[in-house]
Amino acid sequence: MGIELGMITIDCADPRALAAFWTKALGVEVDQDHGGEFLILHPKVENGPVLGFQRVPEQRAGKNRVHLDFGTDDREKEVERLIGLGAKKLDEQEMPGFAWTVLADPVGNEFCVATHSG
């Protein structure tokens, strides 16, 4: 017996609006919409990670403790594309052999974009 990661769910005030950003950012579609209260995005690849967006009444307080990390071949180009979709650039980080950009989605959930090679 064991567990498997089924979905990463993001709490938010407006699941449809946040899903609209992430479908464009990831190039995917909404797979399930449960009356605007809970939406599930179709994974980009078979058995890939699944994102869900769930309506909650309270506002986010402080920095999120879990964030998404993405890889790309052209970090600068992807960061600019994501900013054009509504993301906000928060920070640039670098350590020997590894650099990444910290962004926030339109409601402030932080995520990072790095190059595939580090």
Side-chain angles (χ1 to χ4, degrees):
M1 189 164 173
I3 62 172
E4 293 179 12
L5 179 62
M7 180 170 23
I8 301 162
T9 302
I10 298 172
D11 293 345
C12 56
D14 187 347
R16 284 184 177 147
L18 194 53
F21 168 80
W22 283 105
T23 56
K24 291 175 188 161
L26 299 173
V28 298
E29 297 179 358
V30 171
D31 188 48
Q32 299 176 40
D33 182 339
H34 299 275
E37 297 296 310
F38 191 80
L39 281 83
I40 299 171
L41 302 187
H42 192 276
K44 193 165 193 162
V45 297
E46 187 176 344
N47 298 320
V50 176
L51 283 180
F53 301 93
Q54 173 176 271
R55 184 182 310 277
V56 296
E58 65 275 355
Q59 294 293 317
R60 189 182 77 114
K63 183 182 182 300
N64 43 305
R65 294 294 191 184
V66 175
H67 67 268
L68 305 174
D69 290 320
F70 297 97
T72 182
D73 292 327
D74 189 339
R75 182 168 52 104
E76 289 182 19
K77 181 178 177 182
E78 280 303 306
V79 166
E80 289 305 314
R81 183 183 73 83
L82 292 163
I83 290 169
L85 293 174
K88 180 180 177 184
K89 184 176 177 179
L90 300 179
D91 198 9
E92 293 279 342
Q93 295 288 323
E94 191 171 344
M95 60 178 54
F98 188 64
W100 66 97
T101 304
V102 182
L103 298 150
D105 70 16
V107 298
N109 296 304
E110 295 178 22
F111 64 100
C112 297
V113 176
T115 56
H116 282 132
S117 59

